[in-house]
Amino acid sequence: MKKKYNFDNSSLAMRRYKRARGSLLGMMLLTVINTVLAAVGSLTYFVFSDYLAYSLALSGRLYYEDSGLTLYIVLGCVFAALVLLPYLLCWIFSKKRRGWLIAALVLFSIDTVMLVWDALMFMEIAFVLDIAFHIWLIVELILGIRAGKTAIAEMNMPAEAVEDTAFYDASVNEKPDTKCLGMPQEERKHRLIVEAQYGGRTIEVRRSYGLTELVIDGRLYGVWEGISESSYEIVARVDGHEIATRFLPTGKQTIEVDGEVIAKKQRLL
């Protein structure tokens, strides 16, 4: 019976796309909360929101306080809802078409321009956090859009295909798998720096005097030699997937699969 290895059914592209959609949804939910808070006259405010929608709800509240007409509060909330409606459509339909995520990016970029304009007009330090959030969400949306084509293709892939190809040999016509170097030197005294259990595999980084080993399922796939450690990486390709350990100048040792950190440990320099 053929053994299957499944490191992660969701690729980096899919995770980025889902994260972008999730960030968009979070912005909408907090904007709704801000709208309600503005309508009831609360001074509480979450920066993670759409600036135009909140401004409309707040304007409705201010007009109500000046005139005493509840109609202004209702209109402020209605206009805020109309601003959020296109975002909602973008979030719903972007599940299968990344063009809707592009539309959300355009809308939020316009909202950012309005925010920056008001920030320059009023010169208040309070706008800094709002601008920082807007920039962050724009970056998230851009990353999601860039990954969208690949992510949507994977999401539309039949479940059987995902299961069979989750850890298949993707190295065909690409990079060959790394040749196993045999068994690690068990007789040499070593310490386990960091390890990870991932998709049925055991990945270990071992360190002995002057030697660091990348061990996968008890087999040796890469070494780095040096008594004094500064920074290095050991990379192996197994069943078409890149497995690596990196030692950073900050003293952090990581284990990565296809560029994603799955385990890390801060070591003493």
Short mmCIF file of all heavy atoms in Angstrom, two decimals, residues 87-152:
data_model
loop_
_atom_site.label_atom_id
_atom_site.label_comp_id
_atom_site.label_asym_id
_atom_site.label_seq_id
_atom_site.Cartn_x
_atom_site.Cartn_y
_atom_site.Cartn_z
N TYR A 87 -18.68 46.48 -0.54
CA TYR A 87 -17.66 45.65 0.10
C TYR A 87 -18.21 44.24 0.37
O TYR A 87 -17.51 43.24 0.18
CB TYR A 87 -17.21 46.26 1.42
CG TYR A 87 -16.33 47.46 1.30
CD1 TYR A 87 -16.76 48.72 1.72
CD2 TYR A 87 -15.03 47.36 0.78
CE1 TYR A 87 -15.94 49.83 1.62
CE2 TYR A 87 -14.21 48.47 0.69
CZ TYR A 87 -14.67 49.71 1.11
OH TYR A 87 -13.85 50.80 1.02
N LEU A 88 -19.46 44.20 0.82
CA LEU A 88 -20.08 42.91 1.11
C LEU A 88 -20.18 42.06 -0.15
O LEU A 88 -19.88 40.86 -0.14
CB LEU A 88 -21.47 43.12 1.72
CG LEU A 88 -22.26 41.84 2.05
CD1 LEU A 88 -21.51 40.98 3.06
CD2 LEU A 88 -23.66 42.19 2.58
N LEU A 89 -20.58 42.68 -1.25
CA LEU A 89 -20.66 41.96 -2.52
C LEU A 89 -19.28 41.49 -2.96
O LEU A 89 -19.13 40.37 -3.46
CB LEU A 89 -21.28 42.87 -3.60
CG LEU A 89 -22.74 43.29 -3.36
CD1 LEU A 89 -23.19 44.26 -4.45
CD2 LEU A 89 -23.66 42.07 -3.32
N CYS A 90 -18.30 42.34 -2.77
CA CYS A 90 -16.92 41.96 -3.13
C CYS A 90 -16.46 40.76 -2.32
O CYS A 90 -15.82 39.84 -2.85
CB CYS A 90 -15.96 43.13 -2.91
SG CYS A 90 -16.17 44.50 -4.08
N TRP A 91 -16.78 40.76 -1.03
CA TRP A 91 -16.37 39.65 -0.18
C TRP A 91 -17.09 38.36 -0.58
O TRP A 91 -16.46 37.29 -0.66
CB TRP A 91 -16.67 39.97 1.28
CG TRP A 91 -16.32 38.84 2.20
CD1 TRP A 91 -15.07 38.48 2.62
CD2 TRP A 91 -17.22 37.89 2.78
NE1 TRP A 91 -15.14 37.38 3.44
CE2 TRP A 91 -16.45 37.00 3.56
CE3 TRP A 91 -18.61 37.73 2.73
CZ2 TRP A 91 -17.02 35.95 4.26
CZ3 TRP A 91 -19.19 36.69 3.43
CH2 TRP A 91 -18.39 35.81 4.20
N ILE A 92 -18.37 38.44 -0.85
CA ILE A 92 -19.14 37.23 -1.21
C ILE A 92 -18.64 36.62 -2.51
O ILE A 92 -18.35 35.43 -2.60
CB ILE A 92 -20.64 37.57 -1.31
CG1 ILE A 92 -21.21 37.93 0.08
CG2 ILE A 92 -21.41 36.38 -1.90
CD1 ILE A 92 -22.64 38.43 0.04
N PHE A 93 -18.54 37.43 -3.55
CA PHE A 93 -18.24 36.90 -4.87
C PHE A 93 -16.74 36.71 -5.12
O PHE A 93 -16.35 36.08 -6.11
CB PHE A 93 -18.83 37.83 -5.94
CG PHE A 93 -20.33 37.86 -5.93
CD1 PHE A 93 -21.02 39.01 -5.55
CD2 PHE A 93 -21.07 36.74 -6.27
CE1 PHE A 93 -22.40 39.04 -5.52
CE2 PHE A 93 -22.45 36.75 -6.25
CZ PHE A 93 -23.13 37.91 -5.87
N SER A 94 -15.89 37.25 -4.24
CA SER A 94 -14.45 37.04 -4.42
C SER A 94 -14.04 35.62 -4.07
O SER A 94 -12.89 35.23 -4.32
CB SER A 94 -13.66 38.03 -3.55
OG SER A 94 -13.92 37.81 -2.17
N LYS A 95 -14.94 34.84 -3.53
CA LYS A 95 -14.60 33.46 -3.21
C LYS A 95 -14.24 32.68 -4.45
O LYS A 95 -13.41 31.76 -4.41
CB LYS A 95 -15.78 32.79 -2.49
CG LYS A 95 -15.46 31.38 -1.99
CD LYS A 95 -16.58 30.82 -1.17
CE LYS A 95 -16.20 29.45 -0.61
NZ LYS A 95 -17.28 28.87 0.23
N LYS A 96 -14.84 33.06 -5.60
CA LYS A 96 -14.57 32.34 -6.84
C LYS A 96 -13.96 33.22 -7.92
O LYS A 96 -13.48 32.70 -8.92
CB LYS A 96 -15.86 31.71 -7.37
CG LYS A 96 -16.43 30.62 -6.47
CD LYS A 96 -17.64 29.96 -7.09
CE LYS A 96 -18.14 28.82 -6.20
NZ LYS A 96 -19.33 28.14 -6.80
N ARG A 97 -13.99 34.53 -7.72
CA ARG A 97 -13.43 35.44 -8.73
C ARG A 97 -12.60 36.50 -8.03
O ARG A 97 -13.12 37.28 -7.23
CB ARG A 97 -14.53 36.09 -9.56
CG ARG A 97 -15.30 35.10 -10.43
CD ARG A 97 -16.36 35.82 -11.26
NE ARG A 97 -17.11 34.90 -12.08
CZ ARG A 97 -16.74 34.50 -13.30
NH1 ARG A 97 -15.62 34.96 -13.81
NH2 ARG A 97 -17.49 33.66 -13.99
N ARG A 98 -11.33 36.56 -8.35
CA ARG A 98 -10.46 37.53 -7.68
C ARG A 98 -10.71 38.95 -8.16
O ARG A 98 -10.27 39.91 -7.53
CB ARG A 98 -8.99 37.17 -7.89
CG ARG A 98 -8.48 37.35 -9.30
CD ARG A 98 -6.99 37.19 -9.34
NE ARG A 98 -6.48 37.44 -10.69
CZ ARG A 98 -5.27 37.89 -10.95
NH1 ARG A 98 -4.44 38.14 -9.96
NH2 ARG A 98 -4.86 38.09 -12.18
N GLY A 99 -11.43 39.12 -9.29
CA GLY A 99 -11.76 40.46 -9.78
C GLY A 99 -12.55 41.25 -8.75
O GLY A 99 -12.43 42.48 -8.66
N TRP A 100 -13.34 40.55 -7.95
CA TRP A 100 -14.12 41.22 -6.90
C TRP A 100 -13.19 41.72 -5.78
O TRP A 100 -13.49 42.75 -5.15
CB TRP A 100 -15.17 40.27 -6.33
CG TRP A 100 -16.31 40.05 -7.27
CD1 TRP A 100 -16.43 39.06 -8.20
CD2 TRP A 100 -17.47 40.87 -7.39
NE1 TRP A 100 -17.61 39.21 -8.89
CE2 TRP A 100 -18.27 40.31 -8.41
CE3 TRP A 100 -17.93 42.02 -6.73
CZ2 TRP A 100 -19.49 40.86 -8.79
CZ3 TRP A 100 -19.15 42.56 -7.10
CH2 TRP A 100 -19.91 41.99 -8.11
N LEU A 101 -12.10 41.02 -5.56
CA LEU A 101 -11.15 41.50 -4.57
C LEU A 101 -10.42 42.74 -5.09
O LEU A 101 -10.07 43.63 -4.32
CB LEU A 101 -10.15 40.40 -4.23
CG LEU A 101 -9.49 40.48 -2.84
CD1 LEU A 101 -10.55 40.43 -1.76
CD2 LEU A 101 -8.49 39.35 -2.66
N ILE A 102 -10.21 42.77 -6.40
CA ILE A 102 -9.61 43.97 -7.01
C ILE A 102 -10.54 45.17 -6.83
O ILE A 102 -10.11 46.29 -6.53
CB ILE A 102 -9.32 43.73 -8.49
CG1 ILE A 102 -8.26 42.63 -8.65
CG2 ILE A 102 -8.86 45.01 -9.17
CD1 ILE A 102 -7.99 42.24 -10.08
N ALA A 103 -11.84 44.92 -7.00
CA ALA A 103 -12.83 45.99 -6.81
C ALA A 103 -12.80 46.50 -5.37
O ALA A 103 -12.89 47.71 -5.12
CB ALA A 103 -14.23 45.48 -7.17
N ALA A 104 -12.66 45.57 -4.42
CA ALA A 104 -12.58 45.97 -3.01
C ALA A 104 -11.33 46.82 -2.77
O ALA A 104 -11.37 47.79 -2.00
CB ALA A 104 -12.56 44.73 -2.12
N LEU A 105 -10.25 46.47 -3.42
CA LEU A 105 -9.01 47.24 -3.29
C LEU A 105 -9.20 48.67 -3.81
O LEU A 105 -8.73 49.63 -3.20
CB LEU A 105 -7.88 46.55 -4.04
CG LEU A 105 -6.55 47.32 -4.13
CD1 LEU A 105 -5.98 47.56 -2.73
CD2 LEU A 105 -5.55 46.56 -4.99
N VAL A 106 -9.88 48.79 -4.94
CA VAL A 106 -10.14 50.12 -5.52
C VAL A 106 -10.99 50.95 -4.56
O VAL A 106 -10.69 52.13 -4.30
CB VAL A 106 -10.83 49.99 -6.88
CG1 VAL A 106 -11.26 51.36 -7.39
CG2 VAL A 106 -9.90 49.33 -7.89
N LEU A 107 -12.05 50.34 -4.02
CA LEU A 107 -12.93 51.06 -3.10
C LEU A 107 -12.18 51.51 -1.86
O LEU A 107 -12.32 52.66 -1.41
CB LEU A 107 -14.11 50.15 -2.70
CG LEU A 107 -15.14 49.85 -3.78
CD1 LEU A 107 -16.12 48.80 -3.28
CD2 LEU A 107 -15.89 51.13 -4.17
N PHE A 108 -11.38 50.62 -1.31
CA PHE A 108 -10.68 50.96 -0.08
C PHE A 108 -9.55 51.96 -0.33
O PHE A 108 -9.21 52.75 0.54
CB PHE A 108 -10.13 49.70 0.59
CG PHE A 108 -9.85 49.89 2.05
CD1 PHE A 108 -10.89 50.02 2.97
CD2 PHE A 108 -8.55 49.94 2.52
CE1 PHE A 108 -10.64 50.21 4.32
CE2 PHE A 108 -8.28 50.12 3.87
CZ PHE A 108 -9.33 50.25 4.77
N SER A 109 -9.00 51.93 -1.53
CA SER A 109 -7.97 52.92 -1.88
C SER A 109 -8.59 54.31 -1.95
O SER A 109 -7.97 55.30 -1.52
CB SER A 109 -7.32 52.55 -3.21
OG SER A 109 -6.64 51.31 -3.12
N ILE A 110 -9.79 54.39 -2.50
CA ILE A 110 -10.50 55.67 -2.54
C ILE A 110 -10.78 56.16 -1.12
O ILE A 110 -10.62 57.35 -0.80
CB ILE A 110 -11.81 55.53 -3.34
CG1 ILE A 110 -11.51 55.23 -4.81
CG2 ILE A 110 -12.66 56.80 -3.22
CD1 ILE A 110 -12.73 54.92 -5.64
N ASP A 111 -11.20 55.23 -0.26
CA ASP A 111 -11.46 55.58 1.13
C ASP A 111 -10.17 56.08 1.80
O ASP A 111 -10.20 57.02 2.61
CB ASP A 111 -11.99 54.35 1.88
CG ASP A 111 -12.47 54.70 3.28
OD1 ASP A 111 -13.55 55.29 3.41
OD2 ASP A 111 -11.75 54.38 4.24
N THR A 112 -9.04 55.48 1.45
CA THR A 112 -7.75 55.89 2.01
C THR A 112 -7.38 57.30 1.57
O THR A 112 -6.86 58.09 2.36
CB THR A 112 -6.65 54.90 1.60
OG1 THR A 112 -7.00 53.58 2.02
CG2 THR A 112 -5.31 55.28 2.21
N VAL A 113 -7.64 57.60 0.30
CA VAL A 113 -7.36 58.95 -0.21
C VAL A 113 -8.18 59.99 0.55
O VAL A 113 -7.68 61.05 0.93
CB VAL A 113 -7.66 59.03 -1.72
CG1 VAL A 113 -7.59 60.48 -2.21
CG2 VAL A 113 -6.68 58.17 -2.50
N MET A 114 -9.47 59.66 0.81
CA MET A 114 -10.32 60.57 1.57
C MET A 114 -9.79 60.76 2.99
O MET A 114 -9.79 61.88 3.52
CB MET A 114 -11.75 60.03 1.61
CG MET A 114 -12.41 59.93 0.24
SD MET A 114 -14.06 59.20 0.34
CE MET A 114 -14.89 60.38 1.37
N LEU A 115 -9.31 59.68 3.59
CA LEU A 115 -8.77 59.74 4.94
C LEU A 115 -7.52 60.62 4.98
O LEU A 115 -7.38 61.49 5.86
CB LEU A 115 -8.44 58.33 5.43
CG LEU A 115 -7.67 58.23 6.75
CD1 LEU A 115 -8.47 58.82 7.90
CD2 LEU A 115 -7.32 56.77 7.03
N VAL A 116 -6.62 60.40 4.04
CA VAL A 116 -5.39 61.18 4.00
C VAL A 116 -5.69 62.66 3.75
O VAL A 116 -5.06 63.55 4.34
CB VAL A 116 -4.44 60.63 2.91
CG1 VAL A 116 -3.23 61.55 2.73
CG2 VAL A 116 -3.98 59.22 3.27
N TRP A 117 -6.68 62.93 2.90
CA TRP A 117 -7.06 64.31 2.63
C TRP A 117 -7.53 65.02 3.90
O TRP A 117 -7.11 66.14 4.20
CB TRP A 117 -8.15 64.35 1.57
CG TRP A 117 -8.67 65.73 1.28
CD1 TRP A 117 -9.76 66.35 1.82
CD2 TRP A 117 -8.08 66.68 0.38
NE1 TRP A 117 -9.91 67.60 1.32
CE2 TRP A 117 -8.89 67.84 0.43
CE3 TRP A 117 -6.98 66.67 -0.45
CZ2 TRP A 117 -8.61 68.98 -0.32
CZ3 TRP A 117 -6.70 67.79 -1.23
CH2 TRP A 117 -7.51 68.93 -1.15
N ASP A 118 -8.41 64.35 4.65
CA ASP A 118 -8.90 64.94 5.90
C ASP A 118 -7.77 65.06 6.93
O ASP A 118 -7.73 66.02 7.71
CB ASP A 118 -10.03 64.08 6.47
CG ASP A 118 -11.35 64.36 5.77
OD1 ASP A 118 -11.38 65.23 4.86
OD2 ASP A 118 -12.35 63.69 6.10
N ALA A 119 -6.86 64.09 6.93
CA ALA A 119 -5.74 64.16 7.86
C ALA A 119 -4.87 65.38 7.58
O ALA A 119 -4.41 66.06 8.51
CB ALA A 119 -4.91 62.88 7.76
N LEU A 120 -4.66 65.68 6.31
CA LEU A 120 -3.88 66.86 5.94
C LEU A 120 -4.63 68.16 6.23
O LEU A 120 -4.03 69.18 6.56
CB LEU A 120 -3.50 66.79 4.45
CG LEU A 120 -2.55 65.65 4.05
CD1 LEU A 120 -2.37 65.63 2.54
CD2 LEU A 120 -1.21 65.80 4.76
N MET A 121 -5.95 68.09 6.11
CA MET A 121 -6.76 69.28 6.35
C MET A 121 -6.80 69.63 7.84
O MET A 121 -6.65 70.80 8.22
CB MET A 121 -8.19 69.05 5.85
CG MET A 121 -8.30 69.01 4.33
SD MET A 121 -8.09 70.63 3.57
CE MET A 121 -9.57 71.45 4.16
N PHE A 122 -6.98 68.61 8.69
CA PHE A 122 -7.16 68.86 10.12
C PHE A 122 -5.86 68.74 10.92
O PHE A 122 -5.78 69.23 12.05
CB PHE A 122 -8.20 67.90 10.70
CG PHE A 122 -9.58 68.10 10.14
CD1 PHE A 122 -10.08 67.25 9.17
CD2 PHE A 122 -10.37 69.16 10.57
CE1 PHE A 122 -11.35 67.43 8.65
CE2 PHE A 122 -11.64 69.35 10.05
CZ PHE A 122 -12.13 68.49 9.08
N MET A 123 -4.85 68.06 10.33
CA MET A 123 -3.53 67.92 10.97
C MET A 123 -3.66 67.41 12.41
O MET A 123 -3.12 67.98 13.34
CB MET A 123 -2.80 69.27 10.94
CG MET A 123 -2.50 69.78 9.54
SD MET A 123 -1.41 68.68 8.60
CE MET A 123 0.11 68.88 9.52
N GLU A 124 -4.40 66.29 12.55
CA GLU A 124 -4.56 65.68 13.87
C GLU A 124 -3.78 64.37 13.94
O GLU A 124 -3.82 63.56 13.01
CB GLU A 124 -6.05 65.43 14.17
CG GLU A 124 -6.86 66.70 14.38
CD GLU A 124 -8.28 66.39 14.83
OE1 GLU A 124 -8.53 65.23 15.17
OE2 GLU A 124 -9.12 67.31 14.83
N ILE A 125 -3.10 64.16 15.04
CA ILE A 125 -2.30 62.96 15.22
C ILE A 125 -3.16 61.71 15.28
O ILE A 125 -2.68 60.59 15.01
CB ILE A 125 -1.45 63.08 16.51
CG1 ILE A 125 -0.37 61.99 16.55
CG2 ILE A 125 -2.35 63.01 17.74
CD1 ILE A 125 0.66 62.12 15.50
N ALA A 126 -4.44 61.87 15.60
CA ALA A 126 -5.34 60.73 15.71
C ALA A 126 -5.51 59.98 14.39
O ALA A 126 -5.88 58.81 14.37
CB ALA A 126 -6.71 61.19 16.22
N PHE A 127 -5.23 60.64 13.27
CA PHE A 127 -5.39 60.01 11.97
C PHE A 127 -4.26 59.02 11.67
O PHE A 127 -4.39 58.22 10.74
CB PHE A 127 -5.42 61.07 10.86
CG PHE A 127 -6.72 61.81 10.77
CD1 PHE A 127 -6.86 63.08 11.31
CD2 PHE A 127 -7.81 61.24 10.13
CE1 PHE A 127 -8.05 63.77 11.23
CE2 PHE A 127 -9.01 61.93 10.04
CZ PHE A 127 -9.14 63.20 10.59
N VAL A 128 -3.18 59.07 12.41
CA VAL A 128 -2.02 58.23 12.09
C VAL A 128 -2.36 56.75 12.15
O VAL A 128 -2.01 55.98 11.25
CB VAL A 128 -0.85 58.55 13.05
CG1 VAL A 128 0.30 57.56 12.83
CG2 VAL A 128 -0.37 59.97 12.84
N LEU A 129 -3.07 56.32 13.20
CA LEU A 129 -3.43 54.91 13.33
C LEU A 129 -4.38 54.48 12.22
O LEU A 129 -4.27 53.37 11.70
CB LEU A 129 -4.06 54.65 14.70
CG LEU A 129 -3.11 54.71 15.89
CD1 LEU A 129 -3.87 54.49 17.19
CD2 LEU A 129 -2.01 53.66 15.75
N ASP A 130 -5.32 55.36 11.86
CA ASP A 130 -6.24 55.04 10.77
C ASP A 130 -5.48 54.83 9.46
O ASP A 130 -5.75 53.89 8.71
CB ASP A 130 -7.26 56.17 10.59
CG ASP A 130 -8.32 56.17 11.68
OD1 ASP A 130 -9.20 55.30 11.63
OD2 ASP A 130 -8.25 57.02 12.57
N ILE A 131 -4.55 55.72 9.19
CA ILE A 131 -3.77 55.62 7.95
C ILE A 131 -2.93 54.34 7.96
O ILE A 131 -2.83 53.63 6.94
CB ILE A 131 -2.88 56.86 7.77
CG1 ILE A 131 -3.75 58.10 7.56
CG2 ILE A 131 -1.93 56.68 6.61
CD1 ILE A 131 -2.97 59.40 7.52
N ALA A 132 -2.33 54.03 9.11
CA ALA A 132 -1.52 52.82 9.22
C ALA A 132 -2.36 51.58 8.94
O ALA A 132 -1.92 50.66 8.23
CB ALA A 132 -0.88 52.73 10.60
N PHE A 133 -3.57 51.54 9.50
CA PHE A 133 -4.46 50.40 9.23
C PHE A 133 -4.82 50.33 7.76
O PHE A 133 -4.81 49.25 7.16
CB PHE A 133 -5.73 50.49 10.06
CG PHE A 133 -6.87 49.72 9.44
CD1 PHE A 133 -6.83 48.33 9.40
CD2 PHE A 133 -7.93 50.38 8.85
CE1 PHE A 133 -7.85 47.62 8.79
CE2 PHE A 133 -8.95 49.67 8.24
CZ PHE A 133 -8.91 48.29 8.22
N HIS A 134 -5.16 51.46 7.16
CA HIS A 134 -5.54 51.46 5.75
C HIS A 134 -4.40 50.94 4.87
O HIS A 134 -4.64 50.16 3.93
CB HIS A 134 -5.95 52.87 5.32
CG HIS A 134 -7.38 53.21 5.63
ND1 HIS A 134 -7.86 53.28 6.91
CD2 HIS A 134 -8.43 53.50 4.81
CE1 HIS A 134 -9.14 53.60 6.87
NE2 HIS A 134 -9.52 53.73 5.62
N ILE A 135 -3.20 51.33 5.18
CA ILE A 135 -2.05 50.85 4.40
C ILE A 135 -1.90 49.34 4.58
O ILE A 135 -1.65 48.61 3.62
CB ILE A 135 -0.76 51.59 4.83
CG1 ILE A 135 -0.85 53.06 4.45
CG2 ILE A 135 0.47 50.94 4.19
CD1 ILE A 135 0.30 53.90 4.96
N TRP A 136 -2.05 48.89 5.83
CA TRP A 136 -1.93 47.45 6.09
C TRP A 136 -2.96 46.65 5.30
O TRP A 136 -2.62 45.64 4.67
CB TRP A 136 -2.10 47.18 7.58
CG TRP A 136 -2.17 45.72 7.90
CD1 TRP A 136 -1.13 44.85 8.05
CD2 TRP A 136 -3.36 44.95 8.08
NE1 TRP A 136 -1.59 43.58 8.32
CE2 TRP A 136 -2.95 43.61 8.34
CE3 TRP A 136 -4.73 45.25 8.04
CZ2 TRP A 136 -3.85 42.58 8.56
CZ3 TRP A 136 -5.63 44.23 8.27
CH2 TRP A 136 -5.20 42.91 8.54
N LEU A 137 -4.22 47.08 5.30
CA LEU A 137 -5.25 46.34 4.60
C LEU A 137 -5.03 46.39 3.08
O LEU A 137 -5.27 45.41 2.38
CB LEU A 137 -6.64 46.89 4.94
CG LEU A 137 -7.83 46.13 4.32
CD1 LEU A 137 -7.75 44.64 4.65
CD2 LEU A 137 -9.15 46.70 4.81
N ILE A 138 -4.56 47.51 2.58
CA ILE A 138 -4.25 47.60 1.14
C ILE A 138 -3.18 46.58 0.77
O ILE A 138 -3.28 45.90 -0.26
CB ILE A 138 -3.81 49.03 0.78
CG1 ILE A 138 -5.03 49.97 0.78
CG2 ILE A 138 -3.13 49.07 -0.60
CD1 ILE A 138 -4.69 51.42 0.54
N VAL A 139 -2.15 46.46 1.61
CA VAL A 139 -1.10 45.48 1.34
C VAL A 139 -1.66 44.06 1.38
O VAL A 139 -1.34 43.22 0.52
CB VAL A 139 0.04 45.63 2.37
CG1 VAL A 139 1.05 44.48 2.23
CG2 VAL A 139 0.76 46.96 2.18
N GLU A 140 -2.52 43.78 2.36
CA GLU A 140 -3.13 42.45 2.45
C GLU A 140 -3.96 42.14 1.21
O GLU A 140 -3.90 41.03 0.68
CB GLU A 140 -4.03 42.39 3.70
CG GLU A 140 -3.28 42.28 5.00
CD GLU A 140 -2.60 40.94 5.17
OE1 GLU A 140 -3.26 39.90 4.99
OE2 GLU A 140 -1.39 40.94 5.44
N LEU A 141 -4.71 43.11 0.73
CA LEU A 141 -5.53 42.91 -0.46
C LEU A 141 -4.66 42.69 -1.69
O LEU A 141 -4.96 41.84 -2.54
CB LEU A 141 -6.46 44.10 -0.67
CG LEU A 141 -7.57 44.26 0.38
CD1 LEU A 141 -8.35 45.56 0.14
CD2 LEU A 141 -8.53 43.07 0.35
N ILE A 142 -3.58 43.44 -1.80
CA ILE A 142 -2.67 43.28 -2.95
C ILE A 142 -2.05 41.89 -2.95
O ILE A 142 -1.99 41.21 -3.99
CB ILE A 142 -1.58 44.37 -2.92
CG1 ILE A 142 -2.19 45.74 -3.22
CG2 ILE A 142 -0.48 44.05 -3.95
CD1 ILE A 142 -1.22 46.89 -3.08
N LEU A 143 -1.60 41.44 -1.78
CA LEU A 143 -1.03 40.09 -1.69
C LEU A 143 -2.06 39.03 -2.03
O LEU A 143 -1.75 38.04 -2.70
CB LEU A 143 -0.47 39.86 -0.28
CG LEU A 143 0.77 40.68 0.10
CD1 LEU A 143 1.14 40.42 1.56
CD2 LEU A 143 1.94 40.36 -0.81
N GLY A 144 -3.29 39.24 -1.57
CA GLY A 144 -4.36 38.29 -1.88
C GLY A 144 -4.67 38.26 -3.36
O GLY A 144 -4.90 37.20 -3.94
N ILE A 145 -4.70 39.43 -4.00
CA ILE A 145 -4.98 39.50 -5.43
C ILE A 145 -3.89 38.80 -6.23
O ILE A 145 -4.16 38.07 -7.18
CB ILE A 145 -5.12 40.97 -5.87
CG1 ILE A 145 -6.41 41.57 -5.27
CG2 ILE A 145 -5.14 41.10 -7.38
CD1 ILE A 145 -6.50 43.07 -5.40
N ARG A 146 -2.64 39.01 -5.83
CA ARG A 146 -1.52 38.38 -6.53
C ARG A 146 -1.59 36.85 -6.43
O ARG A 146 -1.21 36.14 -7.36
CB ARG A 146 -0.20 38.88 -5.97
CG ARG A 146 0.12 40.33 -6.29
CD ARG A 146 1.44 40.76 -5.71
NE ARG A 146 2.54 39.95 -6.21
CZ ARG A 146 3.80 40.05 -5.80
NH1 ARG A 146 4.11 40.93 -4.85
NH2 ARG A 146 4.74 39.28 -6.31
N ALA A 147 -2.08 36.37 -5.30
CA ALA A 147 -2.18 34.92 -5.10
C ALA A 147 -3.51 34.36 -5.57
O ALA A 147 -3.70 33.14 -5.56
CB ALA A 147 -1.99 34.59 -3.62
N GLY A 148 -4.43 35.24 -5.98
CA GLY A 148 -5.80 34.83 -6.26
C GLY A 148 -5.96 33.79 -7.35
O GLY A 148 -6.72 32.84 -7.20
N LYS A 149 -5.25 33.95 -8.44
CA LYS A 149 -5.42 33.02 -9.57
C LYS A 149 -5.07 31.60 -9.17
O LYS A 149 -5.81 30.65 -9.43
CB LYS A 149 -4.55 33.47 -10.74
CG LYS A 149 -4.78 32.67 -12.02
CD LYS A 149 -3.98 33.24 -13.17
CE LYS A 149 -4.24 32.45 -14.46
NZ LYS A 149 -3.46 32.99 -15.60
N THR A 150 -3.95 31.44 -8.48
CA THR A 150 -3.53 30.11 -8.03
C THR A 150 -4.45 29.59 -6.94
O THR A 150 -4.85 28.42 -6.95
CB THR A 150 -2.09 30.16 -7.49
OG1 THR A 150 -1.23 30.63 -8.53
CG2 THR A 150 -1.64 28.79 -7.03
N ALA A 151 -4.83 30.47 -6.01
CA ALA A 151 -5.67 30.05 -4.88
C ALA A 151 -7.04 29.57 -5.34
O ALA A 151 -7.53 28.53 -4.89
CB ALA A 151 -5.82 31.20 -3.89
N ILE A 152 -7.66 30.31 -6.25
CA ILE A 152 -8.99 29.93 -6.72
C ILE A 152 -8.93 28.63 -7.49
O ILE A 152 -9.83 27.78 -7.39
CB ILE A 152 -9.58 31.07 -7.57
CG1 ILE A 152 -9.87 32.28 -6.68
CG2 ILE A 152 -10.86 30.61 -8.28
CD1 ILE A 152 -10.34 33.49 -7.43
#
